[in-house]
Amino acid sequence: MRNSEPLKHTKWSVAVGLAAAAALLVTLVILAFLWPTVTSSAKSLPVAITGPAAQVQQVKSQLAAGTGDLLELTVLDSRDAAVQGIKDRSYYGAIVVSQHPELLEASAAGPAPLQIMNQLAQNLQQQLSLQSAQAAAAGAPPSPAVKLVVTDVVPLAASDARGTGLTAASFPMVLGGMIGGILLSLLLVGVWRRLAGAALYSLLVGFLAAAVLGPWFGILQGSYLLNVAVIALSAFATAVFIVGVTALLGRVGVAVGSVVTMLIGNPLSAATQPVQFMVEPWGAIGQWFVPGASTTLLRDASYFPESPTLFPWLVLAGWAVLGVLLSLIGHFRNQEVVEVPAFEDAERSVHGSGIQGSGGQLEAKHLAV
């Protein structure tokens, strides 16, 4: 028999409000992903310079006039110090001023700084050629043309010669941690099961992803087990944070954890550009989130083993600990204590159901899910 009750339609105000909220959400997503790129600018790239003091000062003056604030030049005592500074990621490159001028760069540091260093090499070569032409015009005795030597101190692997694979790997790492956290939060019941699931999931992701990115595609270099540790801790930090926020706030925690990871941490991670290029202080702030710390740590583990990595390790560990604490807080906070009269018959009827008698009362603990 047909239901005679009229169909209840959604109120127009609700429909309009939902449409406006959805449009605003999409706008925020677009803004979150585009803002760091649109507002960034090439500036303050740390570069070392070494050589005789008078010549170094002359080159610094020429570069300041030609490049403005693009470079942040630091004078070092020797070429060896410049090489070491590039290997520990203190500098993206170096200029060696001498009778045999040289430009040091690190293609493994990323495509954006490499492009700047290559352009700088062209500019320096043009200045050297111009100086030779001016000396010849002034009647100086002819001399061999001075050629700038470009040395790649930390080159990319041949299997990822442009570095696109290492840059592209950052987003799947973020997404992988999010997927694990969301699925564990929605499909598992019980805080210890969720935490154990997050640990096992992250460990498996670490071994499998490192195998794909390392031995299979050759994107990651260095120690396989070290790459496993970086990926696993990154996935665990993201997954357990979402699990923890969900334990504390309920299912809305899935959205909160995803927003923090995807719309805040990921755009600020500086995965495709140096931290210095981002609007201050957002580049530095981004390194306090899991995507930024994991991206930096994975590049360091692959190509810059001499760089200091304590800070990103602590950031990832901190987010992991935070997620575990939030999970436990939500678990114990949501426990309920039910008190009922401890009659003998009632005790027998609930025996084995999780309700235990104590001091004339029965206490039932319903664990948070």
Side-chain angles (χ1 to χ4, degrees):
M1 185 175 67
R2 179 178 297 179
N3 190 354
S4 59
E5 294 184 4
L7 181 64
K8 294 182 179 180
H9 296 283
T10 303
K11 294 181 179 180
W12 280 107
S13 59
V14 175
V16 173
L18 288 176
L24 179 61
L25 178 61
V26 173
T27 303
L28 290 176
V29 171
I30 295 173
L31 180 62
F33 277 89
L34 292 183
W35 179 82
T37 301
V38 173
T39 59
S40 66
S41 60
K43 63 181 185 303
S44 303
L45 187 72
V47 174
I49 184 170
T50 183
Q55 297 181 29
V56 165
Q57 187 58 42
Q58 180 183 3
V59 173
K60 286 183 63 177
S61 300
Q62 292 173 347
L63 291 177
T67 62
D69 63 348
L70 175 62
L71 305 178
E72 185 177 287
L73 293 173
T74 300
V75 180
L76 298 181
D77 295 334
S78 65
R79 180 185 184 278
D80 291 340
V83 170
Q84 182 58 41
I86 294 174
K87 288 183 176 180
D88 64 25
R89 300 201 72 183
S90 298
Y91 310 104
Y92 285 92
I95 302 170
V96 180
V97 181
S98 67
Q99 293 182 347
H100 304 285
E102 185 179 12
L103 183 133
L104 308 177
E105 61 185 17
S107 56
L114 179 63
Q115 183 179 3
I116 291 176
M117 295 306 298
N118 287 336
Q119 183 62 49
L120 178 60
Q122 295 180 13
N123 294 341
L124 290 174
Q125 183 60 64
Q126 291 176 359
Q127 291 182 9
L128 291 173
S129 300
L130 179 60
Q131 291 173 1
S132 298
Q134 290 175 346
S143 60
V146 179
K147 182 174 178 57
L148 179 72
V149 177
V150 178
T151 303
D152 195 346
V153 176
V154 188
L156 286 162
S159 51
D160 187 26
R162 295 185 299 172
T164 54
L166 188 59
T167 301
S170 61
F171 184 74
M173 287 178 57
V174 175
L175 192 61
M178 282 183 54
I179 291 175
I182 293 172
L183 291 178
L184 293 170
S185 298
L186 298 180
L187 300 180
L188 295 185
V189 177
V191 61
W192 299 114
R193 289 169 176 80
R194 287 176 175 174
L195 292 178
L200 178 59
Y201 168 82
S202 303
L203 192 61
L204 292 175
V205 167
F207 276 100
L208 294 175
V212 172
L213 296 173
W216 190 349
F217 288 148
I219 294 173
L220 298 183
Q221 303 298 306
S223 169
Y224 170 71
L225 292 180
L226 181 58
N227 292 329
V228 169
V230 175
I231 297 174
L233 182 56
S234 173
F236 182 73
T238 300
V240 80
F241 173 69
I242 294 178
V243 167
V245 178
T246 303
L248 194 65
L249 303 178
R251 293 203 172 192
V252 70
V254 172
V256 173
S258 300
V259 166
V260 171
T261 301
M262 182 62 70
L263 299 186
I264 299 178
N266 187 63
L268 298 179
S269 65
T272 60
Q273 60 183 333
V275 172
Q276 293 82 1
F277 288 5
M278 300 183 69
V279 177
E280 294 183 354
W282 296 110
I285 291 176
Q287 297 303 301
W288 287 84
F289 288 85
V290 173
S294 60
T295 298
T296 299
L297 189 56
L298 194 62
R299 188 181 294 273
D300 289 350
S302 290
Y303 289 104
F304 298 91
E306 299 180 36
S307 62
T309 57
L310 178 61
F311 176 74
W313 279 115
L314 290 178
V315 169
L316 295 180
W319 281 96
V321 171
L322 175 62
V324 173
L325 290 178
L326 291 178
S327 299
L328 296 178
I329 292 172
H331 165 68
F332 289 110
R333 189 200 65 176
N334 292 331
Q335 285 185 337
E336 297 177 359
V337 176
V338 180
E339 295 182 354
V340 296
F343 296 111
E344 184 177 354
D345 292 340
E347 185 174 5
R348 284 199 301 268
S349 66
V350 299
H351 181 68
S353 64
I355 304 179
Q356 300 177 349
S358 175
Q361 292 181 332
L362 295 180
E363 186 179 80
K365 292 187 176 180
H366 302 278
L367 298 182
V369 298

